Amino acid sequence: MKDRIDIIQGDITELAVDAIVNAANRGLLGGGGVDGAIHRAAGPELLAVCREIGGCPTGEVRVTKAFHLPSTYVFHAVGPIWQGGNAGEPDLLRACYRNALDEASNRQLGALALPAISCGVYGYPHQEAATIALNEVWQWLVGHEFPQKVVFVLFDQPMYELYQRLLVEKAKS
Ligand code: ADP
């Protein structure tokens, strides 16, 4: 599966892939971090369609076009806010990844780009979140032809190195 997973350091808004995933919030009205960057780059049309959708529960995904972004779709995934780990956070984070993969699979997409959902202001511990992300993606790819490729896009170097290390370990196990 390792050949269907890429890990890069960079800005997800610059990727010309079939779909990028947004680490959105339940209101779907933009915010800081990757959400703010995506709304800025996509333009006001994105906010207008998100307003029509009217929000999204934690763990679920809503799909929009990508407007001025170079990708085709934005999958808005609402990650859990870390509250210590006993409020269902792992299941909700797993659901985000699975729902995004499912949307990509239903559309028979080539490449899906994923940020580190919940790892910014939502405060999810990085190693635990990255392990969930890699496990869910790996498991999905074993059982599905689509998306053909998953690109993890990490904004900073420590996160990039963490994902690299965990993928090497996963591929050995
Ligand atoms: P959340 O609210 O789900 O925690 P954040 O946007 O605050 O979402 O952070 C999620 C992750 O996205 C963090 O690791 C952050 O460094 C990263 N990030 C921020 N901007 C970008 C970007 N333009 N491209 C990719 N990742 C980004």
Side-chain angles (χ1 to χ4, degrees), residues 1 3-4 26 31 48 56 69 78 83 91 106 111-112 117 154 161 167 173:
M1 280 315 117
D3 54 320
R4 288 172 68 194
R26 291 198 296 180
C56 176
L69 288 160
V78 181
Q83 296 174 59
D91 282 345
N106 290 340
L112 173 71
I117 299 169
L154 293 320
E161 285 172 3
L167 181 60
S173 66

Side-chain angles (χ1 to χ4, degrees), residues 10-13 23 32-35 37 115-123 153 155-156:
D11 178 350
I12 203 166
T13 66
V34 68
D35 197 8
I117 299 169
S118 289
C119 288
V121 294
Y122 279 8
V153 187
F155 205 48
D156 58 50

Side-chain angles (χ1 to χ4, degrees), residues 55-107:
C56 176
T58 306
E60 295 189 16
V61 168
R62 297 290 180 269
V63 178
T64 68
K65 293 194 288 183
F67 300 99
H68 301 287
L69 288 160
S71 59
T72 305
Y73 298 104
V74 179
F75 293 172
H76 304 265
V78 181
I81 298 172
W82 181 256
Q83 296 174 59
N86 295 317
E89 297 94 327
D91 282 345
L92 290 166
L93 189 60
R94 273 192 283 273
C96 281
Y97 285 103
R98 269 202 302 272
N99 285 323
L101 289 159
D102 191 47
E103 295 288 357
S105 182
N106 290 340
R107 290 172 174 75

